Amino acid sequence: MEISVKNSLETTEKSNGLTKKAAIIQYSLAFLANLSVLAPGMGMGFPAVTSEILLRDKTMVLTINQVSWFAAISPFTCPYGGPISSYCVTKFGRKGTLIIISIISLIHWLFIGLSHKTDVNIFYVQLLIGRVLAGLCIGMVTTPIVMYSKEISRTKFQDRLVVLSTPLFLSLGIGLIYLIGYLTGVRK
């Protein structure tokens, strides 16, 4: 009985042309590629977590207008990410574009994290540059992720990997930044 079940599983795997190991590899590669979507997702949720601090911080107080621009500038730059992504995909390929997006995202977080803490004007400009780069990353990330996930997967898994990839990981990134804000007491 056990041998016949094992043989039927092997027959099913051969008829699909895909082994369990191959399926696990495809899911793993798609998961790793989609990790590059987490940082832009975190960038989307970041203003909601930090806006209150930027308004009430004792050393670096921004005006309500400045905080508004801090929160709103990323959506203005998102549409420019698509054409940039298209160029990068053509020039560097899907994987290369994902690496470029990760580097830009790292630079975006460095601008925000290492911003000047003594001059409020320099601080504000550095925050805006970081948010502009965050918007570009958000706009850039959707196309190469979908293309890469589709390329590395077999027909049987393409729909699942493509549909779940970007929305799921963007949402996880937003949720992660909210969790970090909660755990660090940012909103208290």
Side-chain angles (χ1 to χ4, degrees):
M1 174 84 175
E2 190 175 306
I3 293 173
S4 65
V5 170
K6 185 177 179 181
N7 288 339
S8 68
L9 282 175
E10 287 174 359
T11 305
T12 306
E13 287 174 354
K14 287 178 185 174
S15 67
N16 289 335
L18 191 66
T19 64
K20 267 188 179 179
K21 183 178 178 181
I24 290 170
I25 289 171
Q26 288 177 19
Y27 275 107
S28 299
L29 288 173
F31 175 80
L32 290 173
N34 279 291
L35 287 177
S36 64
V37 182
L38 277 178
M42 292 172 72
M44 287 175 75
F46 188 67
V49 175
T50 57
S51 293
E52 189 177 316
I53 282 189
L54 293 173
L55 289 170
R56 65 177 167 87
D57 189 49
K58 290 175 182 42
T59 57
M60 285 289 159
V61 178
L62 296 181
T63 66
I64 191 81
N65 190 30
Q66 289 173 322
V67 172
S68 247
W69 275 105
F70 168 74
I73 200 156
S74 285
F76 288 124
T77 59
C78 283
Y80 299 105
I84 294 169
S85 178
S86 175
Y87 172 79
C88 289
V89 165
T90 303
K91 184 89 172 158
F92 307 109
R94 286 86 169 125
K95 188 176 174 183
T97 302
L98 292 174
I99 292 169
I100 290 168
I101 292 167
S102 296
I103 292 169
I104 294 171
S105 192
L106 175 66
I107 293 168
H108 135 249
W109 283 111
L110 288 173
F111 258 103
I112 290 175
L114 301 176
S115 55
H116 195 271
K117 303 289 191 277
T118 56
D119 184 358
V120 73
N121 293 323
I122 295 172
F123 176 68
Y124 177 61
V125 169
Q126 288 174 327
L127 287 178
L128 288 183
I129 292 170
R131 296 293 297 151
V132 164
L133 292 174
L136 288 175
C137 285
I138 294 165
M140 287 177 71
V141 79
T142 54
T143 304
I145 281 291
V146 170
M147 293 168 81
Y148 185 75
S149 295
K150 189 160 176 75
E151 281 181 355
I152 64 166
S153 61
R154 297 289 291 252
T155 308
K156 181 178 178 182
F157 299 114
Q158 283 178 349
D159 296 338
R160 282 180 253 171
L161 292 177
V162 169
V163 171
L164 289 177
S165 62
T166 305
L168 176 67
F169 280 82
L170 276 173
S171 299
L172 286 173
I174 293 168
L176 182 60
I177 200 72
Y178 286 172
L179 179 66
I180 290 169
Y182 173 76
L183 293 176
T184 58
V186 168
R187 300 293 287 177
K188 289 181 183 176

